[in-house]
């Protein structure tokens, strides 16, 4: 069962049986304390409180399946990332939340730097989740790639083989992109800084801005549609937005897909940038055992397959077989192996150099 999280009620304990009244007061107190502790532990094993900034309707099945497998009831509070972080800071040690789920490594790192996460101790997760997709305090459970999509009638594939190519003068007036302050682009900037340094990252951002077809606006799907319509020639997009259009049965979406060519950037260098959805266990979590079970469940073949089939993401567990037709059609590629914690920590530097470059 999945319920929306509005408020939490204190655990209620069963009274000690009346037949114990002949025992000493000290014995009764000891028995009561033992019963309360046992009842509390059992309750902790049967409930999980999640704050989630991952807003995909298809995820409902994940929570329902977890409850079906474990018997643990899931209470969930959905909200925007900044709102949930502020709530957690205000609640402090009294917070009822066990787990924070969000998208983008930079957002997870913000929560970690705020001291919200506790270290994760799980042999299952250490074995299942690749080392570059986890930190001591949070893990990634799915990935999405930041691909390049271009209008096949206006741009040649060989012109856009890397992120750096998007700053080339031949693409002047051809680039559409969402805001430079969006975490997806900040994480990409973080990867660029890690691999090529801040000066080169800033030079790239300045060249990119010079090539803008229009001021940044909208989300990744808007950029893909603008490229297909000829409003611009090329864009950067998270892969699952394109996969969603590929799986759509709407004629207008199929028309968009038909107009686009796709490139996995930087195959000859550090690989295509990937970002993540992830989660951490909160320091004040009242149900830590259930929280660990949930994260371990997210690494299971069943849940990992669901991320691919339900939301067009790649599983974090490499051994999981893909059935998603869009992901199969997009094919394999070399991905950036940088640790997600490092690219997240560079996000603040990326924001500053984007601001200097005029990418807002």
């Amino acid at each position: 069962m999945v319920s929306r999280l509005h408020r939490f009620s204190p655990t209620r304990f069963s009274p000690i049986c009346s037949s114990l009244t002949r025992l000493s007061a000290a014995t009764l107190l000891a028995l009561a304390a033992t019963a309360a502790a046992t009842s509390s532990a059992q309750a902790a094993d049967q409930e999980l409180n999640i704050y989630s900034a991952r807003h995909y309707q298809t995820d409902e099945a994940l929570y329902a399946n977890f409850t079906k497998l474990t018997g643990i009831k899931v209470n969930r509070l959905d909200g925007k990332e900044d709102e949930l972080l502020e709530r957690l800071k205000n609640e402090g040690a009294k917070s009822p939340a066990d787990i924070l789920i969000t998208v983008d490594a930079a957002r997870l790192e913000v929560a970690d730097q705020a001291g919200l996460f506790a270290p994760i101790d799980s042999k299952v997760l250490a074995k299942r989740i690749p080392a570059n997709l986890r930190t001591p305090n949070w893990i990634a459970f799915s990935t999405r790639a930041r691909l390049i999509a271009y209008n096949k009638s206006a741009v040649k594939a060989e012109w856009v083989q890397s992120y750096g190519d998007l700053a080339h003068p031949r693409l002047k007036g051809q680039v559409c992109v969402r805001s430079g302050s969006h975490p997806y682009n900040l994480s990409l900037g973080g990867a660029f800084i890690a691999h090529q340094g801040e000066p080169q990252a800033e030079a790239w951002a300045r060249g990119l801005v010079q090539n803008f077809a229009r001021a940044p606006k909208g989300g990744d799907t808007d950029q893909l549609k603008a490229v297909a319509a000829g409003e611009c020639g090329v864009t950067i997009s998270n892969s699952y937005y394109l996969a969603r259009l590929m799986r759509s049965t709407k004629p207008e979406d199929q028309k968009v897909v038909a107009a686009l060519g796709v490139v996995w950037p930087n195959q000859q260098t550090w690989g295509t940038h990937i970002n993540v959805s992830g989660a951490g266990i909160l320091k004040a979590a009242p149900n830590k055992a259930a929280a660990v079970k949930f994260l371990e469940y997210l690494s299971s073949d069943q849940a990992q397959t669901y991320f691919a089939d339900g939301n067009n993401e790649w599983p974090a567990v490499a051994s999981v077989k893909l059935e998603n037709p869009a992901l199969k059609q997009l094919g394999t590629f070399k991905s950036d192996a940088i640790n997600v914690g490092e690219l997240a920590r560079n996000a603040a530097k990326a924001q500053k150099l984007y601001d200097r470059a005029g990418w807002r």
Side-chain angles (χ1 to χ4, degrees), residues 212-231:
F212 282 173
R214 53 165 170 72
K217 64 178 181 179
D220 283 4
T221 301
D222 298 308
Q223 315 310 317
L224 293 170
K225 290 180 177 180
V227 171
E231 184 178 344

Side-chain angles (χ1 to χ4, degrees), residues 147-231:
L147 56 77
I148 291 175
Y150 63 93
N151 185 305
K152 291 186 289 189
S153 298
V155 172
K156 295 180 180 180
E158 56 265 32
W159 293 354
V160 288
Q161 290 297 301
S162 71
Y163 300 111
D165 287 343
L166 299 178
H168 195 285
R170 69 183 162 212
L171 292 178
K172 188 172 181 62
Q174 293 277 15
V175 176
C176 281
V177 70
R178 72 193 303 165
S179 170
S181 64
H182 194 278
Y184 294 166
N185 287 328
L186 292 176
S187 290
L188 173 58
F192 211 110
I193 289 169
H195 290 293
Q196 298 185 237
E198 287 187 62
Q200 194 162 342
E202 183 168 341
W204 168 71
R206 290 184 182 279
L208 190 72
V209 170
Q210 291 298 312
N211 288 343
F212 282 173
R214 53 165 170 72
K217 64 178 181 179
D220 283 4
T221 301
D222 298 308
Q223 315 310 317
L224 293 170
K225 290 180 177 180
V227 171
E231 184 178 344

Side-chain angles (χ1 to χ4, degrees), residues 57-62 301-311:
Q57 188 65 32
T58 52
D59 282 356
E60 295 292 338
L62 278 171
D301 282 6
Q302 181 186 39
Q304 289 286 296
T305 299
Y306 185 80
F307 289 126
D309 293 344
N311 198 50

Side-chain angles (χ1 to χ4, degrees), residues 61-288:
L62 278 171
Y63 301 110
N65 288 341
F66 175 70
T67 298
K68 182 178 179 181
L69 288 170
T70 65
I72 297 172
K73 177 185 176 183
V74 176
N75 304 307
R76 193 172 86 252
L77 176 68
D78 292 331
K80 294 182 178 179
E81 294 82 4
D82 292 343
E83 294 171 352
L84 293 179
L85 287 173
E86 190 63 28
R87 179 170 181 144
L88 286 166
K89 291 175 184 177
N90 290 336
E91 290 173 343
K94 296 181 179 180
S95 177
D98 297 303
I99 287 176
L100 173 67
I101 295 176
T102 190
V103 296
D104 189 84
R107 287 166 169 158
L108 287 158
E109 189 64 17
V110 167
D112 197 15
Q113 290 298 312
L116 297 177
F117 290 148
I120 297 173
D121 183 13
S122 168
K123 292 181 180 178
V124 172
L125 294 173
K127 182 179 180 180
R128 297 280 290 174
I129 304 297
N132 69 305
L133 295 181
R134 52 186 164 87
T135 73
N137 295 346
W138 56 267
I139 66 158
F141 48 76
S142 64
T143 68
R144 56 281 295 274
R146 204 96 179 108
L147 56 77
I148 291 175
Y150 63 93
N151 185 305
K152 291 186 289 189
S153 298
V155 172
K156 295 180 180 180
E158 56 265 32
W159 293 354
V160 288
Q161 290 297 301
S162 71
Y163 300 111
D165 287 343
L166 299 178
H168 195 285
R170 69 183 162 212
L171 292 178
K172 188 172 181 62
Q174 293 277 15
V175 176
C176 281
V177 70
R178 72 193 303 165
S179 170
S181 64
H182 194 278
Y184 294 166
N185 287 328
L186 292 176
S187 290
L188 173 58
F192 211 110
I193 289 169
H195 290 293
Q196 298 185 237
E198 287 187 62
Q200 194 162 342
E202 183 168 341
W204 168 71
R206 290 184 182 279
L208 190 72
V209 170
Q210 291 298 312
N211 288 343
F212 282 173
R214 53 165 170 72
K217 64 178 181 179
D220 283 4
T221 301
D222 298 308
Q223 315 310 317
L224 293 170
K225 290 180 177 180
V227 171
E231 184 178 344
C232 42
V234 64
T235 192
I236 315 168
S237 172
N238 271 0
S239 51
Y240 70 96
Y241 291 104
L242 177 61
R244 189 182 297 167
L245 290 171
M246 292 169 69
R247 296 183 71 181
S248 172
T249 57
K250 296 179 179 178
E252 59 269 29
D253 290 340
Q254 289 302 308
K255 186 178 180 180
V256 169
V257 172
L260 299 176
V262 177
V263 168
W264 298 118
N266 293 70
Q267 293 302 282
Q268 302 304 314
T269 56
W270 35 276
T272 297
H273 169 65
I274 60 170
N275 212 322
V276 301
S277 283
I281 298 173
L282 297 159
K283 281 185 177 178
N287 306 297
K288 283 189 169 65

